[in-house]
Amino acid sequence: MAAALLSLLGVFVALYLYLYKIGKIGALVCGTGGCETVQLSRYSRFLGIEVSLIGLVGYIGLLAFTLWALRPAVARLRWPATVLAALSGVGVLFAIYLTALELFVIHAICRWCVGSAVIITAIFAAALLDRRHAEAVKA
Amino acid sequence: MAAEPSGAETGGGMRGFYLGLGALAVAGVAVILYLVLKPSTVSIPVNVAVQASDTAGFQGYVLGSPDAPVEITEFADYQCPYCQTFATMQMPTVEERLIKTGRLRLRYRDFPLDNIHSNARVAMHAAACANDQNKYWPMHDRLYEGQGDWAPEANPAPTFHGYAQALGLDVNAYDACMKSAKYAGRIQASRNLAERYGVGSTPTMMVGNRLWAGRIDSDAIIHLVDSLAPLPAAPGDSAKATK
């Protein structure tokens, strides 16, 4: 359940950054100016796709999966937690890569990006806890 | 998700969860709608990292013939009063006497004085967005003419939007351009270039590698162009001289 709530939160963070990038909202509420520096850098695209759009699609996918996995028929099983851990694990690795770019290449920190990194890490942690819990119940 | 569904999870717990999820969704959608629909301020970031794409094919805003024998690069700030005086009082003569006659090419570059001109970069960005629609110079003139109106404003973006509308720009495209701040890097690149040349104030004119800072009038520019590229003597002149 926590993973679903966190995924929804992630959807809004990614949507906010994406709407900024396509010019649908004005200045980012950031406080440091670092958000715009990061969002306007060439690293705001990955393989030609906006990173915020990748995040948006990823969070929507995680939200859909976590809601599906809450159905009573599936909720007792262990594999959905394993899949969620794998998916969010990829997200964590991507977040580490992006945070390293901010720190060592762009030299600016976007608080919203940090927020997204925290969210995906929390989803990963929640998935691991669910998995452990499922193992304990099975035992 | 993989937990043993307890009574709380299957009954009231799940209802509470879905209520919480719904409340979060409604709150998130409301915030996003507010951000999209509110009259936006525009912020052009300072000291962005300049990318190669920011300056690809861009060498300043050019007015005049590519074949003109003399080129002057003007480093200016839309919020600078001296630049305004030059643009509104001197430039019409320079344009009429030198630029339209093919003797001078003016290259205009941004030099935002951020510490004293908080709206300069937004104005520069408005001009850059107008340039997307081939209206750079009309916007340039309008910005200088209206300097007294927008310079003291906390948020000049609506005033610039009005200029864009009055100049017949596609305002949706203009607004999207402004909100994206896509020319922040280009403005920064001009600023960096000016610093490399040693520019420290506005307006500064650069002829070759020489800088000419401070107030300047059209007569001085005409004399300069005359000295660098004298007009060929008219056929009648030599006849008169021999008389």
Side-chain angles (χ1 to χ4, degrees):
Chain A
M1 288 195 286
L5 286 167
L6 288 164
S7 299
L8 183 59
L9 202 56
V11 166
F12 288 121
V13 170
L15 180 61
Y16 178 55
L17 292 175
Y18 183 62
L19 287 174
Y20 167 75
K21 201 62 200 289
I22 60 172
K24 294 296 178 192
I25 54 175
L28 286 170
V29 180
C30 187
T32 61
C35 295
E36 281 152 335
T37 303
V38 171
Q39 291 301 315
L40 293 171
S41 78
R42 69 188 177 96
Y43 300 101
S44 65
R45 293 173 77 87
F46 182 77
L47 300 177
I49 304 168
E50 295 294 343
V51 168
S52 50
L53 181 60
I54 294 173
L56 180 60
V57 171
Y59 281 122
I60 288 173
L62 287 176
L63 177 63
F65 182 77
T66 49
L67 289 177
W68 175 82
L70 282 171
R71 295 182 315 153
V74 188
R76 289 166 181 265
L77 303 175
R78 183 183 151 198
W79 70 264
T82 306
V83 170
L84 182 63
L87 291 174
S88 56
V90 172
V92 169
L93 291 176
F94 194 48
I96 290 170
Y97 163 72
L98 294 173
T99 306
L101 283 176
E102 289 182 51
L103 288 172
F104 305 116
V105 180
I106 308 171
H107 302 294
I109 284 289
C110 166
R111 291 177 181 176
W112 291 100
C113 307
V114 172
S116 178
V118 169
I119 290 169
I120 193 68
T121 307
I123 293 171
F124 180 63
L128 290 181
L129 285 174
D130 271 349
R131 198 167 173 278
R132 182 179 289 183
H133 188 63
E135 279 171 359
V137 169
K138 197 176 176 185
Chain B
M1 122 180 66
E4 179 113 25
S6 64
E9 278 177 342
T10 51
M14 287 309 285
R15 252 197 312 276
F17 162 73
Y18 284 119
L19 276 174
L21 195 71
L24 181 62
V26 168
V29 168
V31 170
I32 293 289
L33 278 177
Y34 168 75
L35 290 169
V36 170
L37 298 176
K38 74 167 182 168
S40 63
T41 57
V42 174
S43 165
I44 308 303
V46 178
N47 291 329
V48 293
V50 176
Q51 311 299 331
S53 57
D54 291 328
T55 53
F58 178 76
Q59 298 290 327
Y61 302 99
V62 178
L63 190 63
S65 165
D67 300 322
V70 180
E71 176 176 301
I72 293 180
T73 300
E74 178 188 1
F75 290 97
D77 174 326
Y78 281 109
Q79 204 172 337
C80 145
Y82 291 156
C83 302
Q84 185 212 29
T85 303
F86 178 75
T88 57
M89 308 290 286
Q90 309 299 328
M91 209 27 209
T93 307
V94 171
E95 203 171 340
E96 202 61 38
R97 298 273 301 272
L98 299 174
I99 295 175
K100 285 185 179 171
T101 55
R103 300 184 67 207
L104 173 69
R105 181 173 56 254
L106 183 86
R107 193 176 294 276
Y108 186 95
R109 280 194 173 275
D110 296 320
F111 187 72
L113 300 170
D114 301 301
N115 51 341
I116 51 173
H117 296 153
S118 58
N119 292 337
R121 283 195 196 238
V122 184
M124 290 164 185
H125 203 278
C129 290
N131 188 55
D132 279 353
Q133 301 183 44
N134 299 317
K135 290 279 179 75
Y136 182 82
W137 294 103
M139 181 61 98
H140 163 280
D141 295 348
R142 191 68 192 87
L143 286 167
Y144 276 125
E145 285 162 11
Q147 191 194 72
D149 299 325
W150 57 261
E153 289 177 343
N155 173 24
T159 302
F160 298 156
H161 175 93
Y163 293 168
Q165 206 159 23
L167 292 172
L169 297 181
D170 172 348
V171 286
N172 290 328
Y174 167 85
D175 286 344
C177 173
M178 288 299 284
K179 286 177 183 174
S180 72
K182 66 178 180 176
Y183 292 119
R186 177 186 283 189
I187 294 166
Q188 187 62 43
S190 277
R191 161 95 205 187
N192 295 348
L193 180 80
E195 285 175 352
R196 282 201 296 277
Y197 284 131
V199 174
S201 62
T202 57
T204 293
M205 304 291 170
M206 188 171 77
V207 187
N209 288 327
R210 292 194 174 183
L211 298 179
W212 201 354
R215 279 189 180 185
I216 189 166
D217 60 29
S218 55
D219 284 343
I221 292 182
I222 291 167
H223 288 314
L224 176 80
V225 173
D226 281 345
S227 66
L228 291 173
L231 281 172
D237 289 350
S238 57
K240 280 178 199 166
T242 54
K243 271 184 184 176

